[in-house]
């Protein structure tokens, strides 16, 4: 069900300007809805994804309205944080999107030196549903290792008894597929801090490169280059829970 909100509030919350500025933009004829110049910015409109196809602002399609979920190919060297300095994942998105309310947040995090599939959303309920340990959403990582695999790792990770350093709750079972002497795919259903790196450290190895290729049944598309992102529709979101 779509929610009706005041047009000036909607555009202000999407970073287009203050409510006063939105009114001035409407007066200048810059806001067009269903082919008509918007005169009354206090009118209520239903918010749903179709709005981007129905409204233009200064001749450009409206940004995706709230209820926005994205997939991003996180490149190496960028951080999943609103606070830290240096290059942040939010800097890969259009500048106006940083002023959105509700804000976009990453669904979980990838380390600065991990690449791959990262989801972002402004939908708090969806975020919690994905990261909740109760959801058991599988995440598949490709790891390159410093030392050859010994052959014992698959059983150790699958046992559901492995303790990470400094923790007292064993990890849930995880699936390891050996892809090469120093390469493996690891599928985990939890999201503990630096989990994959710490799991390999627990078996005496060291991860030299880490890439997330899948969340649930949603794979990072081959044609999504590092740093590029894509808006997700409900079918793509459903794949996350279809793992
Ligand atoms: N595990 C890690 O160690 N790092 C990540 O970024 C994700 C999972």
């Amino acid at each position: 069900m779509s929610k009706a909100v005041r047009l000036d509030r909607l555009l202000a919350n999407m970073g287009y300007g203050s409510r006063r500025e939105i009114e001035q933009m409407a007066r200048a004829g810059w806001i067009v809805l269903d082919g008509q110049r918007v005169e009354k910015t206090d009118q209520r409109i239903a918010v749903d994804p179709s709005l981007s196809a129905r409204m233009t602002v200064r001749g450009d399609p409206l940004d995706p309205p709230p209820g926005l979920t994205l997939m991003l190919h996180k490149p190496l060297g960028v951080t999943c944080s609103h606070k830290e300095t240096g290059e942040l994942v939010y800097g890969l998105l259009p500048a106006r999107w940083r002023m959105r309310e509700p804000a976009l947040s990453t669904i979980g995090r990838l380390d600065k030196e991990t690449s791959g599939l990262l989801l972002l959303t402004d939908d708090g309920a969806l975020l919690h549903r994905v990261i909740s340990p109760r959801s058991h959403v599988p995440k598949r990582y490709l790891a390159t290792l410093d030392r050859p695999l010994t052959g014992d790792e698959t059983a150790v990770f699958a046992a559901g008894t492995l303790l990470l350093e400094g923790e007292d709750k064993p990890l849930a079972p995880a699936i390891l597929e050996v892809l090469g002497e120093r390469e493996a795919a690891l599928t985990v259903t939890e999201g503990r801090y630096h989990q994959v790196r710490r799991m390999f450290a627990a078996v005496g190895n060291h991860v030299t490169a880490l890439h997330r290729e899948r969340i649930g049944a949603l794979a990072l598309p081959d044609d999504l280059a590092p740093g590029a992102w894509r808006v997700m529709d409900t079918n793509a979101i459903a794949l996350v829970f279809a793992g």
Side-chain angles (χ1 to χ4, degrees):
M1 206 180 58
S2 52
K3 221 171 53 183
V5 299
R6 275 177 62 133
L7 187 143
D8 53 359
R9 180 177 290 280
L10 173 69
L11 294 190
N13 286 350
M14 289 171 68
Y16 283 96
S18 64
R19 278 159 74 174
R20 202 179 139 71
E21 284 163 340
I22 305 298
E23 202 185 317
Q24 286 164 351
M25 287 161 64
R27 248 190 260 127
W30 289 351
I31 306 174
V32 174
L33 176 61
D34 295 328
Q36 306 279 320
R37 282 165 66 150
V38 165
E39 310 273 345
K40 287 168 66 67
T41 52
D42 62 354
Q43 66 178 286
R44 286 184 170 266
I45 51 169
V47 179
D48 64 53
S50 73
L51 214 47
S52 300
R54 293 173 47 214
M55 192 185 286
T56 56
V57 181
R58 289 198 187 99
D60 293 325
L62 182 75
D63 292 343
L68 174 59
T69 301
L70 307 172
M71 62 171 91
L72 171 84
H73 185 161
K74 181 194 169 296
L76 296 174
V78 301
T79 307
C80 294
S81 167
H82 281 290
K83 298 197 188 100
E84 284 171 50
T85 51
E87 222 189 315
L88 308 181
V89 286
Y90 301 101
L92 298 167
L93 304 176
R96 182 166 52 233
W97 292 19
R98 272 168 254 155
M99 292 174 281
R100 288 174 68 109
E101 189 55 51
L104 278 166
S105 302
T106 64
I107 301 183
R109 289 181 176 200
L110 290 178
D111 304 336
K112 188 173 178 186
E113 294 314 327
T114 301
S115 59
L117 180 60
L118 180 71
L119 308 183
L120 296 100
T121 191
D122 62 12
D123 178 344
L126 175 68
L127 188 150
H128 288 294
R129 208 176 140 214
V130 180
I131 64 173
S132 162
R134 278 192 297 274
S135 297
H136 304 292
V137 172
K139 286 147 295 231
R140 183 178 154 103
Y141 294 88
L142 295 178
T144 307
L145 303 162
D146 198 26
R147 286 181 274 284
L149 289 153
T150 62
D152 296 337
E153 298 87 351
T154 306
V156 173
F157 292 164
T161 52
L162 183 65
L163 274 179
L164 292 179
E165 200 178 300
E167 296 192 6
D168 51 17
K169 185 173 179 276
L171 288 172
I175 302 168
L176 185 79
E177 284 167 65
V178 176
L179 304 175
E181 204 185 38
R182 289 183 167 80
E183 269 171 8
L186 181 59
T187 302
V188 301
T189 56
E190 298 167 290
R192 301 200 201 177
Y193 181 67
H194 291 176
Q195 180 168 339
V196 173
R197 294 176 198 274
R198 290 165 73 210
M199 285 173 74
F200 281 104
V203 292
N205 213 323
H206 175 72
V207 172
T208 56
L210 191 59
H211 177 82
R212 182 157 69 191
E213 58 164 23
R214 193 175 277 267
I215 300 175
L218 178 75
L220 180 67
D222 288 339
D223 61 353
L224 195 64
W229 52 270
R230 194 171 284 173
V231 175
M232 287 169 67
D233 61 16
T234 49
N235 293 331
I237 294 170
L239 286 176
V240 170
F241 300 103

